[in-house]
Amino acid sequence: MRNFSSDAQYAEDVAEDEKPARSSGSRSASADDNYDEEEDDPIADLLFDIMDLMGIEAEIEFEEREDHIRYHIEGPELGVLIGRHGQTLEALQFLVGVINARRSLVDYRVVIDVEGYRERREKQLRDLARRSAIKANREGRKIVLSPMPPGDRRVIHLVLAGDTSVKTYSEGEEPDRCVVISPGDQE
């Protein structure tokens, strides 16, 4: 995992358009640090820009996963970045995705987590998916889950993708789109 820190000096560097590259390990983004140009991370830079505009100080670590890179944002009082039921985090995720797509910053999928919220939410969703699959098979009927954002629906679909005893699909229109889990022998 790589670790970055945000501070007031970084905001000054951004204002002067002298964004320092980030390097491995724990670093403070200050003018006294010598950064390796090859270790530049445009997503971390973008996240720092957004947090600086919001007046938030935080550290960012990232880890490579099988199908994406996950950026962990840690710091004091980051509830504002999570928002009610994760809505602000979802908006931040969407914003970073759009900017990445338009500017072609990186060619991998980026997932943002704030203070472990997304990790905890994914665990809840995995548990919900498994319980709902058992219920759908036991009762022999489809189970319609509450409306959820695309990222949450994706977790449900991926968890149950290998389970041949159930089928999953999404129905409805945003923001009321939901996952349906039905027994595998039922359409």
Side-chain angles (χ1 to χ4, degrees):
M1 248 195 245
R2 286 183 28 193
N3 184 29
F4 308 107
S5 294
S6 169
D7 62 13
Q9 181 61 48
Y10 181 80
E12 290 174 21
D13 290 342
V14 170
E16 296 171 15
D17 205 30
E18 296 176 6
K19 296 180 188 173
R22 305 293 193 267
S23 65
S24 297
S26 177
R27 288 272 184 164
S28 172
S30 68
D32 296 333
D33 290 335
N34 295 318
Y35 292 100
D36 180 2
E37 288 295 320
E38 295 177 0
E39 296 293 330
D40 188 39
D41 186 339
I43 299 298
D45 288 341
L46 175 60
L47 288 169
F48 277 119
D49 288 347
I50 292 168
M51 287 187 299
D52 286 338
L53 289 170
M54 295 177 73
I56 296 172
E57 290 191 22
E59 292 184 1
I60 299 174
E61 295 180 352
F62 75 82
E63 66 177 308
E64 295 181 24
R65 299 246 178 133
E66 187 176 313
D67 63 339
H68 66 276
I69 295 191
R70 183 170 296 238
Y71 286 81
H72 299 276
I73 301 174
E74 300 287 335
E77 301 179 29
L78 292 180
V80 69
L81 275 180
I82 297 170
R84 185 174 179 185
H85 301 294
Q87 289 178 329
T88 306
L89 177 56
E90 287 299 323
L92 178 63
Q93 176 77 50
F94 179 76
L95 179 64
V96 169
V98 167
I99 292 171
N100 181 36
R102 293 213 174 145
R103 292 186 183 171
S104 299
L105 298 177
V106 295
D107 59 355
Y108 48 81
R109 195 167 79 84
V110 173
V111 175
I112 313 248
D113 192 3
V114 176
E115 293 189 335
Y117 175 84
R118 190 174 301 275
E119 199 74 41
R120 290 187 306 274
R121 177 70 177 148
E122 287 175 358
K123 183 185 180 321
Q124 290 172 343
L125 291 168
R126 287 190 299 270
D127 292 344
L128 173 64
R130 290 183 194 108
R131 283 192 320 268
S132 299
I134 291 168
K135 184 177 180 180
N137 280 323
R138 183 180 62 234
E139 296 180 7
R141 64 178 183 87
K142 69 181 184 179
I143 305 296
V144 180
L145 302 180
S146 301
M148 56 184 72
D152 289 359
R153 291 193 311 268
R154 183 176 191 274
V155 171
I156 302 284
H157 290 303
L158 289 175
V159 167
L160 298 177
D163 187 343
T164 58
S165 69
V166 294
K167 294 180 184 176
T168 65
Y169 57 93
S170 293
E171 67 180 17
E173 298 295 322
E174 295 294 349
D176 297 321
R177 197 158 170 80
C178 56
V179 175
V180 177
I181 302 170
S182 64
D185 59 351
Q186 189 181 70
E187 281 299 311

